Amino acid sequence: MPAQATAQAQAAPSVPPGWEAVIGLEIHVELATESKIYCGCSTRFGAPPNTQVCPVCLGLPGSLPVLNEKAVEYAVRAGLALHCRIAPYAKFDRKNYFYPDLPKAYQISQYDLPLCRDGYLEVEVGGRTRRVGIIRVHLEEETGKLVHSTATIAGSRYSLVDYNRSGVPLIEIVTQPDLRTPEEARLFLEELRSVMQYLGVSDVKMEEGSLRCDANISLRRPGETRLGTKTEVKNINSLRAVERALRYEAYRQAAVLEDGGRIVQETRGWDEASGTTIPMRSKETVQDYRYFPEPDIPPLALDEAYVERVRQSLPELPAARRRRLMEQWQLPAYDAWVICQHPALAGFFEQAASRWKDGKTVSNWVMGEVLRILGASGEEPGVLAGRPEWVEHLVEVLRLVSAGRISANVGKEVLEESFKSGRAPEEIVRARGLEQVGDEAQLLAWVRQAIEANPDAVASYRAGKAQAAGFLVGQVMKLSKGKANPKTVGELMRRELGEPGTSSS
Amino acid sequence: MADPSSLVFASIRELAGLLRRGEVTARELAEAHLRQIERVDPSVGAYLTVVADRALAQAGAADEQLRRLRQEPRSQTASSPSGLQSSAGGPELLLGIPWACKDVLCTAGVRTTCGSKMLEQFVPPYSATAVRRLDERGAVMLGKVNMDEFAMGSSTENSALGVTRNPWDLSRVPGGSSGGSAAAVAAGEAVFSLGSDTGGSVRLPAAYCGVVGLKPTYGSVSRYGLIAFASSLDQVGPLARTVEDAALVYEAIAGHDPLDSTSAPRPPEPVLRTLEEGVKGLRLGLSPDYFGEGLDGEVREAVMGAVRRLEREGAQIVEVRIPHLAYALPVYYIIAPSEASSNLARYDGVRYGLRVPGDDIVQQFSKTRREGFGPEVKRRIMLGTYALSAGYYEAFYLKAQKVRTLIRRDFEAAFARVDALITPVAPTVAFRMGEKVEDPLQMYLTDIYTLSVNLAGLPGVSVPCGFSSQGLPIGLQVIGPAFGEPQILRVARAVEETSGVRGARPRVAVGDAR
Ligand SMILES: [Zn+2]
C-alpha cells in the first residue's frame, strides 16, 4: 500500500492543482580552499575530531581573524558566474548568537554590504529557459559540529563538539522567490551545483554537507500577485530531497488552506525517513542577531582590475558548453545536458570525440558505459579528470567495434576491464581471444548447431514469425561467446532457413 | 654587584650597561626584582601571578647570550657613553630586563585571567605577539599584573582577583585599567610593563602612579593575543619609569603582524633616534576644550607650568579647538560596550574558563555568565547589547560612529596646524579607594581627556609633570597625529627633562613597606 501511495504521489503534479507555489532557496556552499577562512588550519574533510584547530578557529581569547584571500577569490568567481555585480567595497559584520558550536558566539558574516548581489542563473525547465534571480552571494564562516548523546541537544546528557569544520569558508547564495515548482527547484540546484563544479570552488557534496539548501515555500492562486504565508524547510540533504520536501510541503499547505486554515510562518525540518516535514521552532520570536561591522577585519576594497582578472579566469560554464557541444558534435539536448553536468565528464567526452569524429557514438558510450562503470565502482565523474588514458581506451574500443573486430557487447566488457586494469583494449582482446569470428565455415557450423537445437524457433520462423530469426542469431552469439559477427550470422541464418513463410496465421 | 635598591629603580639603558659589562647578571637582576615584589607587593598588590621559575630560566638564557656577546671580538671598540657597544640597537637593550605583563595579554603556559573569575584558571596555549616580541628580545617576564576585569574601569577596583593600591598613597587607587602595570613599575617591582589602553587605560594609571605610559597609534602594535575589550579602540602600550624606556619598549613591540589584520602594513616608527632633539621649532597645540570645568586647579597649574617650560625651550604654543570633544564620552560609552558585548559573548563555559552547570545549555550559559562576570562588566554588556539591538542600532551605535568621525576630523584639522597637542591626563590626581565605585558615571568622567584619542586612533603619551600638594603625581598628556610617536615622545622627553620629577620614588617602595 505505501508503495502504491508513493507511486501515486510521484505521478501527481508536483504542485497541487489550482495552486501556484512560490519558492526561494538559500544555499550554503563550502568553498574548497586548502585553509580556513580566518586562519591557516586545514579544511580537509574527515580528519579526527578537533585535530585541525588553532586559537583563531576555536575563538580563544585574544585570537584575531585574518581573511583568506583565496576564499574571497572563490566567492568572486561564484558571484561572477551567477552574473552578479561585485561590490567595489564590501565589509564583514558580526552576527551575534549563542550556540555551543559557535566558538566566538558570533559568526563573521556579511550583512548590508555583501560581496556580490543582483545576479541570476538560467535553468532549462521542460525545454524552456527560466531565469532565477540571485539576491546576494556573501562570504561567511562555517560553525563547528555538534554530536549529541541523544537525538537533540535538549534531551542530551552531554554533547560533543568537533571544531574541525569551524572556520571553513562558506558562501551563502540567496535566490529571489522565482521558482514555481519543486521540480524547478531541484533543476536549479542541479544547475547551480554544476556551475560550482565548473568553477572549481567547491566539491558540492550534499552528503558531506559542502552543499546545503534551505527552501522557502508559499502557495497562492494562479494570477495572484500577493505572496502567501511561507514556511522554511531545513535539513534537506540530497537533490532528490529538495523536490520531495517541497512537494510534500506544497500538498500540506494546500490541504491546510483548502480546509479553511491558515499557514503558520515557521521553520520545518525535512524528515527523510518519513518523507514529511515537521515543525522545528516557531519564527514568531525573531532572533535579534545584533549585526554590527566586524572591527577586526578592515573593509574589503576590490578594484575593477582584480574583478576583471577573476572574470578572465572563469571557465566556460555548463549552459555555454551545452550549446557548444550541441552545435559542434550535433548532440541532442538531452545528451548535452547529461554530459555537461560535470566538467570532468564533458572534458572526457570532448577529448574522446575529437579523436573520433562521430560525436553521437561517443556520447552514447559516455552516457551509457562510462557512467555505468563509474556508478558500479562508486566513483564520481571527477575522477575522469585524472585519467587521460581512459580516453585512449574508449577511442580504441570504438575503433575495434567499428572495424568489426569485436562486437559492441564485447566492446563494453573490454572497456570496463581496461578502465580497471589499465591494460589497453587491443591487448585485452588479444589475450582473451575476443576477436570477432568472421570465418564462414565456423559461423556456419554454429548456425547449423543452433537450428538443430531449436526446432520450435525454426518452426515459428517458417510459420512467418520473422523475429524468431533474431532468437536464433542470439543462440549463435551465445555459442560463440559473443565473438561471432552478428551481421554475417544473420545473413547465414537467412540463407540456411530460407525466407520466412508468408502465410499469416 | 650593584646596590639592590638602585637596581630596582634603574632605567633600561643603565641596566643594559651593567649587564653587558658583566657588573650584574640577568639572574641577579631578576632575583632583585623578585625580592622587591616579595617585599612591597603585600602592600601594593600589583601582581596576580608571579612566575619566579620561568623568570629565572629566562634570565639564565639571557645570561648565556650576554656571555656570548661579551666574548665576541670587539670589531667596534668605541663604546657608547653608557658603556655599551655602539652596535647594540634600542630593542636589543631589553636582553635580561625584568618586566611585568598586564593580565590581559595571553602568555603561553601562564594563566591569563583578565582580572575575572571567568578566566581565573585559563592557561592560554599561545602568547600575544607583543609578549612574543619581548621574549625574542630576551626580556624576562616576572609575572602577570592586576587590572580592572576585562580592562573595564579606571581604578583597578573592578578586578575580581585582588586589590591594587597606589604606591604613592596606599589609600588611593592606582588608576585603571592597567593599575597593576603602573603600580609595579612605580614601586620598583618591574623595570617596565605592558598595559592595554581602550579609553586611557595605560595613560591614566601612568599619571596616577607617576610613570610614563604610551598608547600607540591604533594598528602600530599588534593586538593578537590581547584579550579584546573593544576591538576598534584597544591598543597595547608600554609603561616605564622614563620616556626613553617607554620608547625602547615601543620599538621592540611595534610593527606589522600578519596575525592582526588591523595592524598597520608599515615598518615600526623609529622613535629613539629623534628622542633627544628637544622641542625647539615644534608647534604645540593647547585646546581650551581640555581646560574647562571639572579640572582640578593643581593639575591645571602643573600642566601649564610644563607648557611654559616647553615654550622656554623653544616650542611654539598655538591655540586649537577640538569642538566635538564634549561628545567623546557618550560616544565612547556606546561604541566600547557594543563591541564588548560581542567580544565577551564567547565566555559561555563551553570550551575553557569557568563553567557553572545548569539543567540545560541555555541555563549553563546564563549561570556561567551570571557568576563569572562582575557588576561593571555586566553593566557594559547590557549597555552594548541594548545599543546594538534591532530598533536602537541607528539611534545609538550608528550615530555614535558618525560622531566618532567628526571627532577624528577635529583632530585632523588640529594636526594640520600643530605637531602635537598638550592636555591633562585626568581631571584630578589619584582618588581614594571606594570613592567612586558606587557612582559609575563619576568613574567614567575620569577618562574624559584620554578616550577621544582612542576614538580617533591616535597616539598619546602620559608623562609625569609635577606633584600635588599632597605629594601625588600629576601627569601630562601629549597627543599626536597617527604615527606621530616620534614627536610626542620627543615632547614627553622634554617635559620629563624640564619638570625635574624624574627619579622620585614612592616611600613604600624604598623605605619600609607598611
Ligand atoms: Zn584555525
Side-chain angles (χ1 to χ4, degrees):
Chain A
M1 283 299 257
Q4 203 182 343
T6 309
Q8 266 173 9
Q10 294 296 339
S14 68
V15 175
W19 295 97
E20 178 181 66
V22 177
I23 299 168
L25 302 179
E26 263 176 41
I27 301 132
H28 285 94
V29 177
E30 271 187 7
L31 299 179
T33 52
E34 301 262 304
S35 58
K36 294 184 179 180
I37 183 168
Y38 304 124
C39 66
C41 289
S42 166
T43 54
R44 196 167 59 82
F45 181 81
N50 296 311
T51 55
Q52 295 177 163
V53 294
C54 74
V56 175
C57 55
L58 285 175
L60 288 192
S63 62
L64 293 171
V66 176
L67 189 59
N68 179 344
E69 284 173 22
K70 203 74 194 170
V72 175
E73 188 195 316
Y74 280 10
V76 170
R77 271 172 88 76
L80 288 171
L82 297 175
H83 309 94
C84 288
R85 287 195 292 114
I86 308 301
Y89 179 89
K91 70 175 172 67
F92 289 83
D93 300 275
R94 288 190 188 174
K95 180 180 181 180
N96 296 280
Y97 66 97
F98 284 95
Y99 209 68
D101 66 2
L102 191 67
K104 300 185 292 292
Y106 57 79
Q107 183 187 35
I108 305 177
S109 180
Q110 297 194 284
Y111 181 57
D112 54 344
L113 297 173
L115 209 47
C116 326
R117 65 205 314 174
D118 300 334
Y120 65 86
L121 180 65
E122 287 178 342
V123 199
E124 301 283 327
V125 183
R128 285 188 314 118
T129 300
R130 292 266 289 114
R131 179 173 285 200
V132 179
I134 305 286
I135 298 174
R136 60 188 282 154
V137 178
H138 74 247
L139 198 51
E140 62 184 35
E141 62 181 321
E142 190 68 275
T143 62
K145 209 175 103 185
L146 287 174
V147 183
H148 306 302
S149 68
T150 47
T152 64
I153 194 169
S156 284
R157 228 164 27 78
Y158 65 87
S159 299
L160 304 173
V161 202
D162 178 5
Y163 291 105
N164 280 352
R165 209 181 65 170
S166 162
V168 167
L170 274 185
I171 47 174
E172 182 175 327
I173 301 166
V174 183
T175 78
Q176 297 280 6
D178 287 347
L179 296 157
R180 288 294 170 266
T181 67
E183 189 201 5
E184 274 181 25
R186 176 179 52 77
L187 289 171
F188 174 85
L189 209 57
E190 278 178 10
E191 183 72 10
L192 185 79
R193 188 179 63 162
S194 276
V195 169
M196 295 301 143
Q197 264 159 351
Y198 272 64
L199 295 172
V201 300
S202 172
D203 56 15
V204 278
K205 292 183 181 162
M206 285 190 101
E207 328 79 71
E208 291 183 7
S210 59
L211 173 68
R212 299 195 297 272
C213 175
D214 299 338
N216 289 305
I217 175 168
S218 63
L219 292 188
R220 66 183 174 193
R221 296 292 184 188
E224 276 267 342
T225 47
R226 275 204 7 238
L227 292 173
T229 306
K230 67 180 177 191
T231 57
E232 187 184 12
V233 188
K234 287 189 182 285
N235 293 346
I236 307 178
N237 45 21
S238 74
L239 284 171
R240 205 170 69 96
V242 174
E243 194 171 346
R244 284 181 72 206
L246 287 171
R247 178 195 290 261
Y248 175 87
E249 194 51 21
Y251 275 87
R252 187 192 68 83
Q253 288 190 12
V256 171
L257 294 169
E258 282 162 11
D259 266 9
R262 275 180 49 235
I263 300 300
V264 184
Q265 183 166 337
E266 64 184 349
T267 300
R268 299 175 70 88
W270 169 246
D271 183 53
E272 187 71 43
S274 65
T276 61
T277 65
I278 19 192
M280 284 173 75
R281 58 163 190 261
S282 165
K283 270 235 161 165
E284 302 200 67
T285 53
V286 180
Q287 178 136 25
D288 181 358
Y289 291 115
R290 305 190 319 282
Y291 279 100
F292 77 103
E294 167 56 82
D296 290 330
I297 299 181
L300 207 54
L302 299 179
D303 59 33
E304 197 45 55
Y306 170 85
V307 174
E308 209 35 55
R309 262 201 316 281
V310 178
R311 196 192 302 276
Q312 293 306 324
S313 77
L314 290 186
E316 182 184 32
L317 293 172
R321 199 166 199 175
R322 282 195 294 267
R323 278 195 298 275
R324 185 169 60 75
L325 291 198
M326 285 167 69
E327 193 162 303
Q328 192 173 342
W329 302 103
Q330 285 78 51
L331 292 191
Y334 176 76
D335 291 36
W337 183 77
V338 171
I339 281 174
C340 290
Q341 263 196 325
H342 197 288
L345 192 65
F348 185 85
F349 166 80
E350 289 209 69
Q351 284 176 43
S354 63
R355 284 186 182 62
W356 190 258
K357 309 308 159 212
D358 174 13
K360 178 58 185 161
T361 303
V362 176
S363 131
N364 287 345
W365 279 75
V366 168
M367 293 195 305
E369 287 318 297
V370 175
L371 284 180
R372 184 188 62 77
I373 295 169
L374 289 180
S377 53
E379 301 262 34
E380 296 283 323
V383 302
L384 292 172
R387 301 286 188 181
E389 70 277 13
W390 287 5
V391 173
E392 304 305 326
H393 294 341
L394 175 60
V395 172
E396 205 175 320
V397 165
L398 292 177
R399 197 166 47 73
L400 290 166
V401 171
S402 111
R405 288 180 55 200
I406 55 173
S407 68
N409 278 334
V410 169
K412 292 172 183 175
E413 205 183 304
V414 171
L415 186 71
E416 181 159 11
E417 194 180 328
S418 66
F419 276 17
K420 279 181 181 154
S421 67
R423 288 162 68 204
E426 176 87 54
E427 201 187 320
I428 296 169
V429 167
R430 235 179 305 118
R432 289 183 44 196
L434 295 173
E435 196 130 7
Q436 248 174 192
V437 176
D439 172 34
E440 279 211 15
Q442 174 63 65
L443 293 178
L444 199 56
W446 280 330
V447 165
R448 288 183 178 149
Q449 203 181 329
I451 289 173
E452 212 154 295
N454 297 283
D456 290 358
V458 173
S460 58
Y461 179 85
R462 297 217 162 110
K465 292 202 171 133
Q467 62 269 41
F471 171 78
L472 288 166
V473 170
Q475 293 306 301
V476 174
M477 295 311 290
K478 231 183 202 172
L479 285 168
S480 73
K481 298 201 171 66
K483 291 190 292 181
N485 183 328
K487 203 166 147 230
T488 319
V489 171
E491 285 163 10
L492 290 174
M493 187 67 72
R494 264 192 304 279
R495 222 170 67 194
E496 285 298 299
L497 294 175
E499 288 303 304
T502 45
S503 64
S504 60
S505 50
Chain B
M1 189 187 138
D3 160 35
S5 78
S6 75
L7 276 186
V8 300
F9 281 101
S11 73
I12 294 174
R13 190 174 284 283
E14 287 159 1
L15 291 170
L18 294 175
L19 288 166
R20 305 277 152 135
R21 292 192 302 270
E23 291 169 30
V24 69
T25 64
R27 190 181 170 93
E28 285 163 352
L29 197 53
E31 281 167 349
H33 280 86
L34 290 168
R35 275 197 304 277
Q36 177 79 348
I37 293 169
E38 228 165 82
R39 199 169 68 79
V40 308
D41 215 51
S43 39
V44 174
Y47 280 85
L48 291 174
T49 307
V50 176
V51 286
D53 292 348
R54 188 182 185 276
L56 293 174
Q58 274 191 325
D63 279 329
E64 193 53 45
Q65 225 177 314
L66 284 160
R67 211 172 0 258
R68 275 202 303 277
L69 278 176
R70 277 198 299 273
Q71 282 161 0
E72 265 174 22
R74 301 192 170 201
S75 52
Q76 291 161 301
T77 43
S79 290
S80 69
S82 55
L84 293 168
Q85 280 187 260
S86 57
S87 63
E92 276 70 45
L93 302 186
L94 293 173
L95 180 59
I97 304 294
W99 69 285
C101 183
K102 184 175 180 177
D103 218 13
V104 72
L105 287 159
C106 286
T107 41
V110 177
R111 81 167 181 152
T112 300
T113 68
C114 234
S116 180
K117 271 166 69 180
M118 194 63 97
L119 291 176
E120 198 171 353
Q121 308 302 334
F122 175 62
V123 178
Y126 68 110
S127 287
T129 298
V131 173
R132 208 164 38 71
R133 287 184 175 169
L134 291 177
D135 281 346
E136 283 162 8
R137 304 291 187 190
V140 173
M141 190 182 83
L142 298 165
K144 307 295 290 288
V145 288
N146 202 13
M147 57 184 285
D148 282 304
E149 183 177 3
F150 284 101
M152 296 175 189
S154 310
S155 66
T156 312
E157 290 165 294
N158 293 325
S159 170
L161 304 180
V163 179
T164 303
R165 297 166 185 278
N166 190 319
W168 293 92
D169 177 345
L170 295 176
S171 70
R172 292 178 188 264
V173 301
S177 63
S178 311
S181 303
V185 172
E189 298 178 83
V191 180
F192 70 90
S193 62
L194 289 186
S196 68
D197 190 315
T198 306
S201 282
V202 160
R203 290 159 288 158
L204 177 75
Y208 281 6
C209 293
V211 299
V212 178
L214 170 67
K215 183 260 158 192
T217 304
Y218 185 78
S220 70
V221 177
S222 170
R223 290 186 294 118
Y224 190 78
L226 167 68
I227 297 181
F229 160 15
S231 312
S232 75
L233 303 161
D234 294 344
Q235 186 63 188
V236 179
L239 295 97
R241 281 189 293 267
T242 69
V243 173
E244 189 193 25
D245 283 3
L248 228 144
V249 177
Y250 167 75
E251 277 202 2
I253 60 173
H256 180 68
D257 178 8
L259 297 177
D260 176 359
S261 323
T262 61
S263 134
R266 50 188 282 169
E269 223 53 56
V271 289
L272 284 161
R273 243 186 5 221
T274 53
L275 203 56
E276 305 291 339
E277 284 179 9
V279 290
K280 196 170 166 66
L282 285 186
R283 292 165 68 88
L284 301 180
L286 274 186
S287 163
D289 306 293
Y290 284 91
F291 291 88
E293 211 187 324
L295 179 61
D296 177 85
E298 283 192 330
V299 174
R300 172 198 296 268
E301 256 329 291
V303 172
M304 290 313 291
V307 169
R308 282 191 296 274
R309 289 192 293 277
L310 292 172
E311 205 169 9
R312 277 203 297 277
E313 294 287 313
Q316 191 188 342
I317 307 299
V318 180
E319 186 182 306
V320 291
R321 294 298 306 263
I322 307 292
H324 295 94
L325 189 71
Y327 303 106
L329 190 76
V331 163
Y332 179 87
Y333 278 97
I334 288 169
I335 291 172
S338 293
E339 293 184 10
S341 71
S342 169
N343 284 330
L344 270 58
R346 71 188 66 194
Y347 306 107
D348 54 15
V350 172
R351 292 161 301 276
Y352 48 79
L354 182 74
R355 173 187 294 173
V356 184
D359 294 340
D360 58 31
I361 186 71
V362 174
Q363 211 184 78
Q364 179 184 304
F365 283 168
S366 62
K367 278 186 157 178
T368 299
R369 292 169 68 77
R370 178 157 58 231
E371 291 183 30
F373 289 136
E376 182 60 28
V377 171
K378 283 181 188 156
R379 183 151 44 231
R380 297 203 196 187
I381 290 174
M382 299 289 280
L383 277 172
T385 304
Y386 183 79
L388 289 176
S389 303
Y392 298 101
Y393 179 84
E394 276 82 10
F396 294 111
Y397 183 84
L398 211 57
K399 183 153 286 173
Q401 287 292 17
K402 286 177 181 164
V403 180
R404 182 180 185 174
T405 304
L406 295 178
I407 293 169
R408 189 176 289 149
R409 288 196 189 133
D410 283 357
F411 279 108
E412 275 166 17
F415 288 121
R417 297 180 53 217
V418 298
D419 299 299
L421 270 172
I422 293 190
T423 80
V425 179
T428 65
V429 292
F431 49 88
R432 289 189 188 283
M433 301 188 73
E435 198 179 312
K436 298 185 180 179
V437 275
E438 296 306 320
D439 191 345
L441 282 179
Q442 270 303 308
M443 188 75 95
Y444 295 168
L445 284 168
T446 314
D447 291 331
I448 193 155
Y449 302 136
T450 50
L451 43 79
S452 58
V453 168
N454 301 73
L455 289 172
L458 305 176
V461 59
S462 166
V463 59
C465 67
F467 282 92
S468 74
S469 49
Q470 295 159 299
L472 292 165
I474 295 172
L476 171 153
Q477 175 174 236
V478 189
I479 304 171
F483 302 100
E485 277 84 354
Q487 64 258 42
I488 64 167
L489 288 167
R490 222 169 113 189
V491 175
R493 178 75 186 91
V495 170
E496 180 180 61
E497 197 110 276
T498 56
S499 298
V501 294
R502 187 177 161 185
R505 302 168 189 186
R507 219 180 33 212
V508 64
V510 288
D512 307 314
R514 260 199 288 155

